[in-house]
Amino acid sequence: MANSVLAPARASEQVEITRWDVQRRRTWVLFLIPALLIYTIFMAFPLFNSMRLSFYQGQGLTPDRYVGFENYVTLFTNPLWRDRFFNAVGNTFVFFAIHMLVQNTLGLLFATLLSNTRLFARNVYRAIIFTPATMSVLVTGFLWTLILNPRWGMLNQVLEWVGLGALARPWLGDANLALPVISLVSSWQWVGLPTMMFLAGLLTISDELSEAARVDGASAWQIFWRIKLPLLRPTIGIVSVLTFIGNFNAFDVIFAMAGARGEPAYATDLLATFFYRTAIAGEHPVAQPNMGLGAAVATCTFLILLTGVSLWLRFGRGGEETLAG
């Protein structure tokens, strides 16, 4: 008798819970609609429209003559465009590699030091490391251009004062040095971002793990290498992907320090500056903007980014699952 009375009540509760879940999901959808609209208008539509424009040629911002894959054929086979394009691709990979090696390694080192609760004035160090990231890229690039000036720049004068004048160089005028130097300037400016992300990751690791390892006789290096670094693997993956995407879209630091043509002799030309000259400013010797060809460059850049991120999702996530298992 009691069960027969309780059964309808439980059924009623389940119906109420189901209705509440449905209403909650509808509310979530309402909150997602503004973000979805903004993403569609400002991200998805320009992306697909750029891919569409890569199949057209014509004057102005809206090429109207359909040419199929002709823009891609020109980009990959015409010596003028082919050499510039692959030079920009190679420089962009070098730019990314230096950021990964210098910026993210220093970020991990700084984060490890700042995670030490016994470090004196560690909040001051955090502010100092993060401050360059708050500055304008154009202002930073202009200031470093002054510092690296071969005639009266501060860097060469300091080298002469300390007796290392033989190392003084035209840092931005040497085709072999310009790209690494600009990459180091960019790494200096943005090292605060990976530092903060690595620090947040380290602070989530329980101190009990380190204490237990220390009791078992593990050294500080063993604790970092065998406990903290594996647990930081998801954060390292996110930082790597953000660095990859940011470097393949880098434009302002090159524009500020080496101009739109990636001087000297295109040694600092990246995909973004090549796209700017092709689609907007006009590439030498044509000197006429070609929006269709520029759209082809943008599409190739997107495909490189898509391939890189997909590879990380395929192999990086697999490693995380193995680690979690």
Side-chain angles (χ1 to χ4, degrees), residues 234-246:
T235 307
I236 293 173
I238 293 173
V239 171
S240 301
V241 169
L242 293 178
T243 304
F244 180 63
I245 296 173

Side-chain angles (χ1 to χ4, degrees), residues 20-193:
W20 187 81
D21 286 341
V22 172
Q23 185 176 3
R24 186 177 60 175
R25 290 173 183 172
R26 289 176 179 173
T27 306
W28 286 356
V29 171
L30 290 177
F31 279 111
L32 288 175
I33 288 176
L36 184 62
L37 287 175
I38 293 174
Y39 179 82
T40 302
I41 295 172
F42 294 103
M43 297 293 291
F45 174 73
L47 172 64
F48 288 107
N49 192 47
S50 176
M51 296 173 70
R52 183 187 65 82
L53 288 177
S54 69
F55 298 104
Y56 287 82
Q57 282 188 357
Q59 301 296 322
L61 297 177
T62 55
D64 54 1
R65 184 164 58 88
Y66 180 76
V67 294
F69 287 93
E70 185 175 327
N71 287 324
Y72 293 95
V73 173
T74 300
L75 186 63
F76 290 120
T77 60
N78 187 307
L80 171 66
W81 299 104
R82 181 194 60 201
D83 295 345
R84 294 281 183 272
F85 175 70
F86 284 108
N87 174 65
V89 171
N91 289 340
T92 306
F93 272 105
V94 172
F95 190 73
F96 165 67
I98 293 176
H99 279 75
M100 283 294 294
L101 184 64
V102 178
Q103 173 188 286
N104 292 345
T105 302
L106 286 177
L108 183 58
L109 174 64
F110 292 154
T112 304
L113 296 175
L114 293 174
S115 64
N116 186 352
T117 56
R118 292 175 293 182
L119 181 66
F120 174 73
R122 58 177 181 159
N123 289 333
V124 176
Y125 302 143
R126 292 181 187 181
I128 293 174
I129 293 171
F130 195 76
T131 296
T134 64
M135 300 171 62
S136 165
V137 177
L138 293 177
V139 172
T140 302
F142 179 70
L143 291 176
W144 275 100
T145 302
L146 298 179
I147 293 172
L148 297 171
N149 187 286
R151 298 181 62 184
W152 39 264
M154 187 177 71
L155 179 58
N156 283 347
Q157 291 190 6
V158 170
L159 290 174
E160 292 177 0
W161 288 340
V162 299
L164 298 175
L167 297 179
R169 294 284 188 281
W171 302 100
L172 298 179
D174 189 329
N176 295 320
L177 290 177
L179 183 59
V181 168
I182 295 177
S183 302
L184 292 176
V185 171
S186 179
S187 299
W188 166 82
Q189 179 168 19
W190 298 113
V191 71
L193 295 179

Side-chain angles (χ1 to χ4, degrees), residues 3-16:
N3 291 336
S4 63
V5 173
L6 291 175
R10 290 173 180 170
S12 176
E13 289 177 1
Q14 290 179 352
V15 171
E16 289 296 326

